[in-house]
Amino acid sequence: MKRYYGFIVECADRKVDYFIRSQVTDEIRPDFGGIKNVFIDVKETVYVCCTCIAAYFNPKSRYYNNEHLVKRLSAAYDFIRRYQREDGSFDLASCNFKSAPDTAFITKRLTYTYKLIQKYDKENRLTEIKNKVYRIICSAANALINGGFHTPNHRWAIAAALAACSNIIEDKNLSEQCIKRMNEYFIEPIDCTDDGEYSERSSGNYNAVVNTAMIMLHEELKDDRFLEYVERNLNMMLMMIDPDGSIFTENSLRQDRGRREYPTKYFYQYLYMSQKSKNYAGRFSAAAHKIIADAAENGDYTLDCLPVLMLCDWMINTQFAEMGFPAEYRKYFPYSGLVRVRKQNIAYSLVKNEKNFLFFQNNSVRLGMKIGVVFFQHRNFRAETIEETGNGFIMKFRADGWYYLPFREKPETSDWWQMDNKSRELYINCFTEMIVEVIDIHDGIEVHIKTNGIDRIPVRVEISLPVGGKLHSENFITETTGKGYMILKNGEVHFTRDYDGITISGGFASHEFIKGGYSEDSTGEHNYILYMTDYTNFDHTITIKAVQDFND
C-alpha cells in the first residue's frame, strides 16, 4: 500500500489546486469563499475543504503547513456558515431545500475535518477553523434531529452523521438527542439482503454511499454488526465488475443506471475491509490493490480518500499480496432478478422485468438485447421468471389479450375518465408466451427464443451495438453510427471496435415493422441497432460469440 501513498497524496493536492483556482475571492460577491458554480451551493466546497485540511497536515503534500491555504480555508468556512439555514440545514440547490439528507452528507465531511484537526493540529494553528467547523456541526445536528428523508440510503447517512455528531458535541443534551434520533432510524431494519444487495441496487453510486455510512457507524459506535452489511455488499460488488474493469449498472434503480462507472470510489472500503472482514479479507485486499494500481496507471486523480486514510492511518501500512477481481463467477440474485456470469474476458447479464433483458460483453465491447412485441398494452418481452438450468437460464413472459365488457349495472357517471373501469369484466380471447433460454457455450452464449399462443404477432429482436465500430460480413463493411440500423435476414455478422469483437449469427427477417405505429423507436445517437424480425409463432436460436482478432 505504501508504494501508492504518494499517488493518493497527489490526488489530494490536485483537489487543493482546483480549490485555489476555483474559489471566489471577490469579497463583494455573495458566494465569496465558496467554489464557483452556476448557482450557489455549499456541498462541493465542504468536500474539497476536507481534502485541503488533510493535505495541510500531510508532510508529503505540496501544501503541508501552507499558511496561504489556511486563509483560503477560513474564508471557505465563513461561506459555508453563511449559507447554513437558520435551522442548521443545508440546501442541495439543484433540487432539495432545508434538506436533512444533504446536511448529513455535508456533516460527514465536516466531522472528518474536525477530527483531522483534533488529531494532527499539535501546535493549534487551525484552532479558529476548528471552532468554525464545530459551530457548523452543532447547528447541523439540530437539522438532522428534526429532518426527514426521501430515499433508502438517506436514512443511514443521517444516522451515521448523528452518531458522529454525538461524539463531537460537548452539549450533553444535544448529544443525547442525536443518539435518540439515530436509534429511531434503526427501528427500520437495514435494507441489505443476504447476497449483499441494498434496496436501490445502485452499484455505480449509492452502494458506496451506504457502505460509507455503515463504516462510519461502526467507527462511531464501535459496533461490528454494521460491518456485516459492508462485507456482504463488497463481496457482491466483486460480481458486478465487467471484464474491462467497469461496473455493471444496468439494473440500478437510481441515476447511475446505464452509466459506465469504475470502482475507484470503493477503494478505501475494500482497503478498510481487507483488515476487518471475517470471510473475504484476501479477496478484498486483491480488489483494493487492483483499484489503486489501475488508478495510478491510468492517472485517475479523482480518487479522494486521504482524509479517511489519515484518520484510520493503520490502513497505510496494509500489505498487498494478490491483485485483481474474480474472473470467473456465475450468480443469480433473486431479490433483484439479476443474473451475472463472467468467464475471463466474457461476461453476460440477465435482468428480470426489464425490456433490456440481456447484456453481453467481450472486454470493453458490450451489446444489449431486447425483444419488441406489440401485443395489446405490452411493447416488450419482460421476463417474469428466471430459472437456472444446468448450462444456462430460462426466462419466461406471458400476456393475455383482453377487451372490456359493458357494465352489468348503470354507472354513476357518463364521463369515461370518472368511471371505475378497473372493475369491469374482461373478455380474454388470446395469449402470447415467449420463452428465452440462454445457454452457455465455450466462447459466448446461445439465445434460444420460442413463442407460443396466438399467431401473426410481428416481433423484432433488437441488438444494440455501440457507435464507433465496424459491422461486417462476407458481403459488406459498414460503420456503426448513431441512429443507424440494419435487419439481418440470415447468416452472421461481425462487430469490431479496436481489438475486440463479437460475432452474431442466426439472423431472420419476415417483416420490416421495426418502428412506427405503436412500436417504440430504439435507435439513438449512442447506439446502432441490428434487428431480426418474424411473426409468431417461431423458434429461433441466435448465437453470440466473443472474438479477439478477426484477422487471425
Short mmCIF file of all heavy atoms in Angstrom, two decimals, residues 459-515:
data_model
loop_
_atom_site.label_atom_id
_atom_site.label_comp_id
_atom_site.label_asym_id
_atom_site.label_seq_id
_atom_site.Cartn_x
_atom_site.Cartn_y
_atom_site.Cartn_z
N VAL A 459 -42.89 -9.54 -34.35
CA VAL A 459 -41.90 -9.47 -33.27
C VAL A 459 -40.57 -9.05 -33.86
O VAL A 459 -40.24 -9.41 -34.98
CB VAL A 459 -41.77 -10.84 -32.56
CG1 VAL A 459 -40.68 -10.80 -31.51
CG2 VAL A 459 -43.10 -11.25 -31.94
N ARG A 460 -39.83 -8.29 -33.11
CA ARG A 460 -38.48 -7.91 -33.55
C ARG A 460 -37.51 -8.11 -32.40
O ARG A 460 -37.79 -7.73 -31.26
CB ARG A 460 -38.44 -6.46 -34.03
CG ARG A 460 -38.67 -5.45 -32.94
CD ARG A 460 -38.92 -4.05 -33.45
NE ARG A 460 -39.09 -3.13 -32.34
CZ ARG A 460 -40.22 -2.96 -31.65
NH1 ARG A 460 -41.29 -3.66 -31.99
NH2 ARG A 460 -40.28 -2.12 -30.65
N VAL A 461 -36.38 -8.71 -32.70
CA VAL A 461 -35.27 -8.79 -31.77
C VAL A 461 -34.36 -7.61 -32.07
O VAL A 461 -34.01 -7.36 -33.24
CB VAL A 461 -34.50 -10.11 -31.92
CG1 VAL A 461 -33.26 -10.13 -31.01
CG2 VAL A 461 -35.41 -11.29 -31.61
N GLU A 462 -33.97 -6.86 -31.05
CA GLU A 462 -33.12 -5.68 -31.22
C GLU A 462 -31.82 -5.89 -30.47
O GLU A 462 -31.82 -6.10 -29.26
CB GLU A 462 -33.82 -4.43 -30.67
CG GLU A 462 -35.19 -4.18 -31.27
CD GLU A 462 -35.86 -2.95 -30.67
OE1 GLU A 462 -35.18 -2.20 -29.93
OE2 GLU A 462 -37.06 -2.75 -30.92
N ILE A 463 -30.73 -5.84 -31.20
CA ILE A 463 -29.40 -5.95 -30.60
C ILE A 463 -28.73 -4.59 -30.74
O ILE A 463 -28.49 -4.11 -31.85
CB ILE A 463 -28.57 -7.05 -31.27
CG1 ILE A 463 -29.25 -8.40 -31.08
CG2 ILE A 463 -27.15 -7.07 -30.72
CD1 ILE A 463 -28.58 -9.55 -31.80
N SER A 464 -28.48 -3.96 -29.61
CA SER A 464 -27.92 -2.60 -29.59
C SER A 464 -26.40 -2.68 -29.52
O SER A 464 -25.83 -3.27 -28.60
CB SER A 464 -28.46 -1.84 -28.37
OG SER A 464 -27.88 -0.56 -28.29
N LEU A 465 -25.75 -2.08 -30.52
CA LEU A 465 -24.29 -2.07 -30.61
C LEU A 465 -23.78 -0.65 -30.38
O LEU A 465 -24.45 0.32 -30.74
CB LEU A 465 -23.84 -2.56 -31.99
CG LEU A 465 -24.25 -3.98 -32.37
CD1 LEU A 465 -23.99 -4.23 -33.84
CD2 LEU A 465 -23.52 -5.00 -31.51
N PRO A 466 -22.58 -0.50 -29.81
CA PRO A 466 -22.04 0.85 -29.62
C PRO A 466 -21.62 1.48 -30.93
O PRO A 466 -21.27 0.77 -31.90
CB PRO A 466 -20.83 0.61 -28.70
CG PRO A 466 -20.45 -0.82 -28.91
CD PRO A 466 -21.71 -1.55 -29.25
N VAL A 467 -21.68 2.79 -30.98
CA VAL A 467 -21.22 3.50 -32.18
C VAL A 467 -19.69 3.52 -32.19
O VAL A 467 -19.04 3.26 -31.18
CB VAL A 467 -21.77 4.94 -32.22
CG1 VAL A 467 -23.29 4.93 -32.28
CG2 VAL A 467 -21.29 5.76 -31.03
N GLY A 468 -19.15 3.81 -33.36
CA GLY A 468 -17.70 3.92 -33.46
C GLY A 468 -17.00 2.62 -33.79
O GLY A 468 -15.77 2.54 -33.71
N GLY A 469 -17.76 1.59 -34.17
CA GLY A 469 -17.16 0.32 -34.56
C GLY A 469 -17.49 -0.01 -36.00
O GLY A 469 -18.06 0.80 -36.74
N LYS A 470 -17.13 -1.21 -36.40
CA LYS A 470 -17.43 -1.68 -37.76
C LYS A 470 -18.25 -2.94 -37.69
O LYS A 470 -17.99 -3.84 -36.88
CB LYS A 470 -16.14 -1.94 -38.54
CG LYS A 470 -15.35 -0.69 -38.88
CD LYS A 470 -14.17 -1.01 -39.77
CE LYS A 470 -13.35 0.25 -40.06
NZ LYS A 470 -14.11 1.23 -40.84
N LEU A 471 -19.26 -3.01 -38.56
CA LEU A 471 -20.10 -4.19 -38.71
C LEU A 471 -19.81 -4.76 -40.09
O LEU A 471 -19.89 -4.04 -41.09
CB LEU A 471 -21.57 -3.81 -38.57
CG LEU A 471 -22.59 -4.92 -38.34
CD1 LEU A 471 -22.35 -5.61 -37.00
CD2 LEU A 471 -24.01 -4.38 -38.41
N HIS A 472 -19.46 -6.04 -40.16
CA HIS A 472 -19.08 -6.57 -41.48
C HIS A 472 -19.42 -8.04 -41.59
O HIS A 472 -19.58 -8.76 -40.59
CB HIS A 472 -17.59 -6.33 -41.74
CG HIS A 472 -16.67 -6.88 -40.70
ND1 HIS A 472 -16.03 -8.09 -40.82
CD2 HIS A 472 -16.27 -6.37 -39.51
CE1 HIS A 472 -15.26 -8.29 -39.76
NE2 HIS A 472 -15.40 -7.28 -38.95
N SER A 473 -19.53 -8.49 -42.83
CA SER A 473 -19.75 -9.89 -43.17
C SER A 473 -18.94 -10.17 -44.43
O SER A 473 -18.09 -9.37 -44.83
CB SER A 473 -21.24 -10.17 -43.40
OG SER A 473 -21.66 -9.59 -44.61
N GLU A 474 -19.23 -11.28 -45.07
CA GLU A 474 -18.53 -11.58 -46.32
C GLU A 474 -18.89 -10.59 -47.43
O GLU A 474 -18.13 -10.42 -48.38
CB GLU A 474 -18.87 -13.00 -46.79
CG GLU A 474 -18.33 -14.10 -45.88
CD GLU A 474 -18.68 -15.48 -46.39
OE1 GLU A 474 -19.40 -15.56 -47.42
OE2 GLU A 474 -18.24 -16.47 -45.78
N ASN A 475 -20.04 -9.91 -47.28
CA ASN A 475 -20.56 -9.11 -48.38
C ASN A 475 -20.54 -7.60 -48.15
O ASN A 475 -20.83 -6.84 -49.07
CB ASN A 475 -22.00 -9.53 -48.70
CG ASN A 475 -22.08 -10.99 -49.07
OD1 ASN A 475 -21.35 -11.46 -49.93
ND2 ASN A 475 -22.98 -11.73 -48.41
N PHE A 476 -20.24 -7.15 -46.95
CA PHE A 476 -20.28 -5.70 -46.71
C PHE A 476 -19.42 -5.34 -45.51
O PHE A 476 -19.08 -6.18 -44.68
CB PHE A 476 -21.72 -5.21 -46.47
CG PHE A 476 -22.29 -5.66 -45.15
CD1 PHE A 476 -22.08 -4.94 -43.99
CD2 PHE A 476 -23.05 -6.83 -45.07
CE1 PHE A 476 -22.60 -5.35 -42.77
CE2 PHE A 476 -23.57 -7.24 -43.85
CZ PHE A 476 -23.34 -6.50 -42.70
N ILE A 477 -19.06 -4.06 -45.44
CA ILE A 477 -18.46 -3.44 -44.26
C ILE A 477 -19.15 -2.11 -44.06
O ILE A 477 -19.27 -1.32 -45.01
CB ILE A 477 -16.94 -3.21 -44.42
CG1 ILE A 477 -16.20 -4.52 -44.66
CG2 ILE A 477 -16.38 -2.49 -43.19
CD1 ILE A 477 -14.72 -4.33 -44.93
N THR A 478 -19.64 -1.84 -42.86
CA THR A 478 -20.27 -0.55 -42.58
C THR A 478 -19.89 -0.09 -41.17
O THR A 478 -19.57 -0.90 -40.31
CB THR A 478 -21.80 -0.64 -42.69
OG1 THR A 478 -22.37 0.66 -42.56
CG2 THR A 478 -22.40 -1.55 -41.62
N GLU A 479 -19.90 1.20 -40.96
CA GLU A 479 -19.62 1.74 -39.64
C GLU A 479 -20.91 1.80 -38.82
O GLU A 479 -21.98 2.06 -39.36
CB GLU A 479 -19.02 3.14 -39.74
CG GLU A 479 -17.63 3.16 -40.36
CD GLU A 479 -17.01 4.54 -40.32
OE1 GLU A 479 -17.65 5.46 -39.76
OE2 GLU A 479 -15.90 4.70 -40.84
N THR A 480 -20.78 1.59 -37.53
CA THR A 480 -21.95 1.72 -36.65
C THR A 480 -22.03 3.18 -36.20
O THR A 480 -21.20 3.66 -35.45
CB THR A 480 -21.85 0.80 -35.43
OG1 THR A 480 -20.60 1.02 -34.77
CG2 THR A 480 -21.92 -0.66 -35.85
N THR A 481 -23.02 3.86 -36.72
CA THR A 481 -23.21 5.28 -36.44
C THR A 481 -24.50 5.48 -35.65
O THR A 481 -25.40 4.64 -35.68
CB THR A 481 -23.28 6.08 -37.75
OG1 THR A 481 -24.32 5.55 -38.57
CG2 THR A 481 -21.96 5.99 -38.50
N GLY A 482 -24.61 6.59 -34.96
CA GLY A 482 -25.80 6.91 -34.20
C GLY A 482 -27.04 6.94 -35.06
O GLY A 482 -27.01 7.43 -36.20
N LYS A 483 -28.12 6.38 -34.53
CA LYS A 483 -29.42 6.28 -35.20
C LYS A 483 -29.41 5.34 -36.40
O LYS A 483 -30.37 5.29 -37.16
CB LYS A 483 -29.94 7.67 -35.62
CG LYS A 483 -30.22 8.58 -34.43
CD LYS A 483 -30.93 9.85 -34.87
CE LYS A 483 -31.30 10.70 -33.66
NZ LYS A 483 -32.02 11.94 -34.03
N GLY A 484 -28.31 4.61 -36.59
CA GLY A 484 -28.25 3.66 -37.69
C GLY A 484 -28.86 2.32 -37.33
O GLY A 484 -29.00 1.99 -36.15
N TYR A 485 -29.24 1.54 -38.37
CA TYR A 485 -29.80 0.22 -38.11
C TYR A 485 -29.68 -0.66 -39.34
O TYR A 485 -29.44 -0.18 -40.46
CB TYR A 485 -31.26 0.31 -37.66
CG TYR A 485 -32.21 0.81 -38.71
CD1 TYR A 485 -32.85 -0.08 -39.59
CD2 TYR A 485 -32.49 2.16 -38.83
CE1 TYR A 485 -33.73 0.39 -40.55
CE2 TYR A 485 -33.37 2.63 -39.79
CZ TYR A 485 -33.98 1.74 -40.65
OH TYR A 485 -34.84 2.20 -41.61
N MET A 486 -29.87 -1.95 -39.14
CA MET A 486 -29.85 -2.95 -40.21
C MET A 486 -30.68 -4.13 -39.78
O MET A 486 -30.73 -4.46 -38.59
CB MET A 486 -28.40 -3.39 -40.49
CG MET A 486 -28.26 -4.49 -41.52
SD MET A 486 -26.54 -5.04 -41.68
CE MET A 486 -25.77 -3.56 -42.28
N ILE A 487 -31.35 -4.78 -40.72
CA ILE A 487 -32.07 -6.02 -40.46
C ILE A 487 -31.22 -7.17 -40.99
O ILE A 487 -30.86 -7.19 -42.16
CB ILE A 487 -33.46 -6.04 -41.12
CG1 ILE A 487 -34.31 -4.87 -40.61
CG2 ILE A 487 -34.16 -7.36 -40.84
CD1 ILE A 487 -35.66 -4.75 -41.30
N LEU A 488 -30.89 -8.14 -40.12
CA LEU A 488 -30.09 -9.29 -40.52
C LEU A 488 -31.03 -10.41 -40.96
O LEU A 488 -31.71 -11.02 -40.14
CB LEU A 488 -29.21 -9.74 -39.34
CG LEU A 488 -28.27 -10.92 -39.62
CD1 LEU A 488 -27.24 -10.55 -40.68
CD2 LEU A 488 -27.58 -11.36 -38.33
N LYS A 489 -31.07 -10.69 -42.27
CA LYS A 489 -32.00 -11.67 -42.82
C LYS A 489 -31.57 -13.10 -42.53
O LYS A 489 -32.40 -13.98 -42.28
CB LYS A 489 -32.16 -11.48 -44.32
CG LYS A 489 -32.83 -10.16 -44.71
CD LYS A 489 -32.98 -10.04 -46.22
CE LYS A 489 -33.94 -11.08 -46.78
NZ LYS A 489 -34.17 -10.88 -48.23
N ASN A 490 -30.26 -13.34 -42.62
CA ASN A 490 -29.74 -14.68 -42.33
C ASN A 490 -28.24 -14.60 -42.14
O ASN A 490 -27.64 -13.53 -42.28
CB ASN A 490 -30.09 -15.67 -43.46
CG ASN A 490 -29.62 -15.15 -44.82
OD1 ASN A 490 -28.44 -14.84 -44.99
ND2 ASN A 490 -30.53 -15.05 -45.78
N GLY A 491 -27.65 -15.73 -41.80
CA GLY A 491 -26.20 -15.77 -41.68
C GLY A 491 -25.69 -15.07 -40.44
O GLY A 491 -26.38 -14.97 -39.41
N GLU A 492 -24.45 -14.55 -40.55
CA GLU A 492 -23.80 -13.94 -39.39
C GLU A 492 -23.13 -12.63 -39.77
O GLU A 492 -22.84 -12.38 -40.95
CB GLU A 492 -22.77 -14.90 -38.79
CG GLU A 492 -21.57 -15.17 -39.67
CD GLU A 492 -20.58 -16.12 -39.01
OE1 GLU A 492 -20.98 -16.89 -38.12
OE2 GLU A 492 -19.39 -16.08 -39.38
N VAL A 493 -22.92 -11.80 -38.76
CA VAL A 493 -22.18 -10.55 -38.91
C VAL A 493 -21.15 -10.47 -37.78
O VAL A 493 -21.29 -11.12 -36.74
CB VAL A 493 -23.09 -9.30 -38.89
CG1 VAL A 493 -23.97 -9.25 -40.11
CG2 VAL A 493 -23.91 -9.25 -37.61
N HIS A 494 -20.14 -9.65 -38.01
CA HIS A 494 -19.09 -9.45 -37.02
C HIS A 494 -19.05 -7.97 -36.66
O HIS A 494 -19.07 -7.11 -37.55
CB HIS A 494 -17.73 -9.89 -37.56
CG HIS A 494 -17.75 -11.21 -38.25
ND1 HIS A 494 -17.91 -12.40 -37.57
CD2 HIS A 494 -17.64 -11.53 -39.57
CE1 HIS A 494 -17.89 -13.39 -38.44
NE2 HIS A 494 -17.73 -12.89 -39.65
N PHE A 495 -19.00 -7.71 -35.36
CA PHE A 495 -18.82 -6.33 -34.91
C PHE A 495 -17.45 -6.21 -34.28
O PHE A 495 -17.06 -7.04 -33.45
CB PHE A 495 -19.89 -5.95 -33.88
CG PHE A 495 -19.65 -4.60 -33.26
CD1 PHE A 495 -19.97 -3.44 -33.96
CD2 PHE A 495 -19.07 -4.48 -32.00
CE1 PHE A 495 -19.73 -2.19 -33.40
CE2 PHE A 495 -18.82 -3.23 -31.44
CZ PHE A 495 -19.16 -2.09 -32.15
N THR A 496 -16.70 -5.17 -34.65
CA THR A 496 -15.38 -4.95 -34.07
C THR A 496 -15.22 -3.50 -33.67
O THR A 496 -15.75 -2.59 -34.32
CB THR A 496 -14.26 -5.30 -35.07
OG1 THR A 496 -14.40 -4.48 -36.24
CG2 THR A 496 -14.30 -6.75 -35.46
N ARG A 497 -14.50 -3.32 -32.58
CA ARG A 497 -14.07 -1.98 -32.17
C ARG A 497 -12.74 -2.14 -31.47
O ARG A 497 -12.63 -2.93 -30.53
CB ARG A 497 -15.09 -1.30 -31.26
CG ARG A 497 -14.80 0.19 -31.07
CD ARG A 497 -15.88 0.89 -30.27
NE ARG A 497 -15.91 0.41 -28.90
CZ ARG A 497 -16.75 0.87 -27.97
NH1 ARG A 497 -17.64 1.80 -28.30
NH2 ARG A 497 -16.72 0.40 -26.74
N ASP A 498 -11.76 -1.39 -31.96
CA ASP A 498 -10.38 -1.57 -31.50
C ASP A 498 -9.98 -3.03 -31.76
O ASP A 498 -10.09 -3.50 -32.87
CB ASP A 498 -10.24 -1.17 -30.03
CG ASP A 498 -10.58 0.30 -29.80
OD1 ASP A 498 -10.31 1.11 -30.71
OD2 ASP A 498 -11.13 0.63 -28.74
N TYR A 499 -9.55 -3.75 -30.73
CA TYR A 499 -9.08 -5.12 -30.94
C TYR A 499 -10.07 -6.17 -30.45
O TYR A 499 -9.76 -7.36 -30.46
CB TYR A 499 -7.73 -5.31 -30.23
CG TYR A 499 -6.64 -4.45 -30.78
CD1 TYR A 499 -6.24 -3.31 -30.11
CD2 TYR A 499 -6.03 -4.75 -32.00
CE1 TYR A 499 -5.24 -2.49 -30.61
CE2 TYR A 499 -5.04 -3.95 -32.51
CZ TYR A 499 -4.64 -2.82 -31.82
OH TYR A 499 -3.65 -2.01 -32.32
N ASP A 500 -11.25 -5.74 -30.05
CA ASP A 500 -12.24 -6.68 -29.53
C ASP A 500 -13.42 -6.77 -30.48
O ASP A 500 -13.77 -5.81 -31.17
CB ASP A 500 -12.72 -6.24 -28.15
CG ASP A 500 -11.58 -6.16 -27.15
OD1 ASP A 500 -10.79 -7.12 -27.12
OD2 ASP A 500 -11.49 -5.16 -26.41
N GLY A 501 -14.05 -7.95 -30.50
CA GLY A 501 -15.17 -8.12 -31.41
C GLY A 501 -16.17 -9.13 -30.91
O GLY A 501 -15.93 -9.88 -29.96
N ILE A 502 -17.32 -9.13 -31.57
CA ILE A 502 -18.41 -10.05 -31.26
C ILE A 502 -18.99 -10.54 -32.58
O ILE A 502 -19.23 -9.76 -33.51
CB ILE A 502 -19.51 -9.36 -30.43
CG1 ILE A 502 -18.96 -8.91 -29.06
CG2 ILE A 502 -20.71 -10.27 -30.25
CD1 ILE A 502 -19.95 -8.07 -28.25
N THR A 503 -19.22 -11.84 -32.68
CA THR A 503 -19.89 -12.43 -33.83
C THR A 503 -21.33 -12.75 -33.45
O THR A 503 -21.58 -13.34 -32.39
CB THR A 503 -19.17 -13.70 -34.30
OG1 THR A 503 -17.89 -13.35 -34.79
CG2 THR A 503 -19.95 -14.39 -35.42
N ILE A 504 -22.26 -12.35 -34.31
CA ILE A 504 -23.69 -12.60 -34.09
C ILE A 504 -24.20 -13.40 -35.27
O ILE A 504 -24.07 -12.98 -36.43
CB ILE A 504 -24.47 -11.27 -33.99
CG1 ILE A 504 -23.90 -10.39 -32.86
CG2 ILE A 504 -25.96 -11.53 -33.77
CD1 ILE A 504 -24.32 -8.95 -32.94
N SER A 505 -24.78 -14.55 -35.02
CA SER A 505 -25.27 -15.41 -36.11
C SER A 505 -26.67 -15.90 -35.80
O SER A 505 -27.13 -15.88 -34.66
CB SER A 505 -24.33 -16.59 -36.32
OG SER A 505 -24.23 -17.37 -35.15
N GLY A 506 -27.37 -16.34 -36.87
CA GLY A 506 -28.72 -16.85 -36.73
C GLY A 506 -29.79 -15.85 -37.13
O GLY A 506 -30.92 -15.89 -36.62
N GLY A 507 -29.44 -14.93 -38.05
CA GLY A 507 -30.38 -13.89 -38.44
C GLY A 507 -31.66 -14.41 -39.09
O GLY A 507 -31.68 -15.49 -39.68
N PHE A 508 -32.73 -13.62 -39.00
CA PHE A 508 -34.00 -13.97 -39.63
C PHE A 508 -34.78 -12.68 -39.87
O PHE A 508 -34.65 -11.71 -39.12
CB PHE A 508 -34.81 -14.95 -38.77
CG PHE A 508 -34.95 -14.55 -37.33
CD1 PHE A 508 -36.03 -13.78 -36.90
CD2 PHE A 508 -34.02 -14.95 -36.39
CE1 PHE A 508 -36.17 -13.42 -35.57
CE2 PHE A 508 -34.15 -14.59 -35.04
CZ PHE A 508 -35.21 -13.83 -34.63
N ALA A 509 -35.60 -12.67 -40.92
CA ALA A 509 -36.37 -11.46 -41.25
C ALA A 509 -37.61 -11.85 -42.05
O ALA A 509 -37.50 -12.37 -43.17
CB ALA A 509 -35.52 -10.48 -42.04
N SER A 510 -38.78 -11.60 -41.50
CA SER A 510 -40.05 -11.88 -42.18
C SER A 510 -40.88 -10.62 -42.38
O SER A 510 -41.90 -10.66 -43.06
CB SER A 510 -40.86 -12.91 -41.38
OG SER A 510 -40.18 -14.13 -41.29
N HIS A 511 -40.45 -9.49 -41.77
CA HIS A 511 -41.16 -8.22 -41.96
C HIS A 511 -40.21 -7.08 -41.66
O HIS A 511 -39.07 -7.29 -41.23
CB HIS A 511 -42.41 -8.15 -41.07
CG HIS A 511 -42.12 -8.17 -39.59
ND1 HIS A 511 -41.69 -7.06 -38.89
CD2 HIS A 511 -42.18 -9.18 -38.67
CE1 HIS A 511 -41.52 -7.36 -37.62
NE2 HIS A 511 -41.81 -8.65 -37.46
N GLU A 512 -40.66 -5.86 -41.93
CA GLU A 512 -39.83 -4.67 -41.71
C GLU A 512 -40.46 -3.70 -40.73
O GLU A 512 -40.14 -2.51 -40.71
CB GLU A 512 -39.55 -3.97 -43.04
CG GLU A 512 -38.78 -4.82 -44.03
CD GLU A 512 -38.53 -4.10 -45.34
OE1 GLU A 512 -38.29 -2.87 -45.30
OE2 GLU A 512 -38.58 -4.76 -46.39
N PHE A 513 -41.35 -4.22 -39.88
CA PHE A 513 -42.01 -3.37 -38.88
C PHE A 513 -41.10 -3.23 -37.67
O PHE A 513 -41.16 -4.00 -36.72
CB PHE A 513 -43.35 -4.00 -38.49
CG PHE A 513 -44.12 -3.20 -37.48
CD1 PHE A 513 -44.31 -1.83 -37.63
CD2 PHE A 513 -44.66 -3.83 -36.37
CE1 PHE A 513 -45.02 -1.10 -36.67
CE2 PHE A 513 -45.38 -3.11 -35.42
CZ PHE A 513 -45.56 -1.74 -35.57
N ILE A 514 -40.21 -2.24 -37.72
CA ILE A 514 -39.25 -2.05 -36.63
C ILE A 514 -39.49 -0.75 -35.86
O ILE A 514 -38.94 -0.56 -34.77
CB ILE A 514 -37.81 -2.09 -37.16
CG1 ILE A 514 -37.60 -1.07 -38.27
CG2 ILE A 514 -37.46 -3.50 -37.65
CD1 ILE A 514 -36.18 -1.00 -38.77
N LYS A 515 -40.29 0.14 -36.40
CA LYS A 515 -40.67 1.35 -35.67
C LYS A 515 -41.89 1.96 -36.33
O LYS A 515 -42.24 1.62 -37.46
CB LYS A 515 -39.53 2.35 -35.60
CG LYS A 515 -38.87 2.69 -36.93
CD LYS A 515 -37.66 3.58 -36.69
CE LYS A 515 -36.88 3.81 -38.00
NZ LYS A 515 -35.69 4.65 -37.77
#
